[in-house]
Amino acid sequence: MKKNVIAVAAAQTYEMVIRHGIHAHPAVAPYPKPRDYIIPIRKGGKCEYIYKVVKTVDIIPNQIESVLGELEKRQADCLMNYYNERSNSYGFSRIGTPYRFYILKKLGSIEQPYYLNGIQNCVSLCFDDIPVVNV
């Protein structure tokens, strides 16, 4: 089976991912290459939603405005809103490092309870192993 899902520890950025449909992490190890789907992991390990990856953008965060013209208006708006909110709260800790920004579309909910405890960064999963409902 192809591991086409990345489950990422979203912690402080979890609500931003839900609100804006954007997730970002450093575009370096231990994070794998982009996957087809993302599950943001809430603090405590709870996984509630699965998202389809619509597009990825690898860029140093403070240069984000340079890619906005390449995106659909709605995508650009979501990306800027996420960037601004994250810059003013949690921030981007790796200065000068490219981040991978995932533009997401909610695919469905995950049957509860579904927990991935102890994940510090990310884990790769197979879509068929995820109990997805409401697709």
Side-chain angles (χ1 to χ4, degrees):
M1 282 185 151
K2 182 180 176 188
K3 292 189 174 185
N4 56 350
V5 179
I6 180 174
V8 293
Q12 293 95 329
T13 65
Y14 181 85
E15 295 299 329
M16 286 182 248
V17 173
I18 303 303
R19 210 172 5 266
H20 303 294
I22 304 288
H23 171 71
H25 61 67
V28 296
Y31 296 100
K33 293 180 181 177
R35 302 287 194 240
D36 298 327
Y37 305 95
I38 283 188
I39 298 172
I41 305 171
R42 183 186 279 277
K43 192 171 184 176
K46 187 173 186 179
C47 301
E48 300 172 299
Y49 307 106
I50 187 165
Y51 292 83
K52 172 83 174 127
V53 176
V54 176
K55 187 175 186 82
T56 60
V57 177
D58 288 6
I59 192 161
I60 296 172
N62 65 3
Q63 297 172 2
I64 201 81
E65 291 183 4
S66 68
V67 300
L68 297 179
E70 302 168 22
L71 304 172
E72 296 173 9
K73 180 170 179 3
R74 184 187 163 288
Q75 293 172 346
D77 290 346
C78 289
L79 184 58
M80 265 324 288
N81 290 337
Y82 174 90
Y83 170 77
N84 287 331
E85 183 175 350
R86 183 162 169 175
S87 293
N88 292 322
S89 58
Y90 183 69
F92 297 91
S93 61
R94 296 195 184 179
I95 306 301
T97 299
Y99 274 65
R100 179 163 297 129
F101 289 83
Y102 293 85
I103 299 170
L104 308 171
K105 179 181 179 189
K106 189 181 284 184
L107 181 65
S109 299
I110 297 174
E111 186 177 312
Q112 296 300 308
Y114 191 82
Y115 286 84
L116 292 172
N117 291 317
I119 307 298
Q120 297 299 310
N121 292 310
C122 64
V123 63
S124 295
L125 306 165
C126 298
F127 183 86
D128 293 340
D129 294 337
I130 313 294
V132 179
V133 295
N134 304 325
V135 177

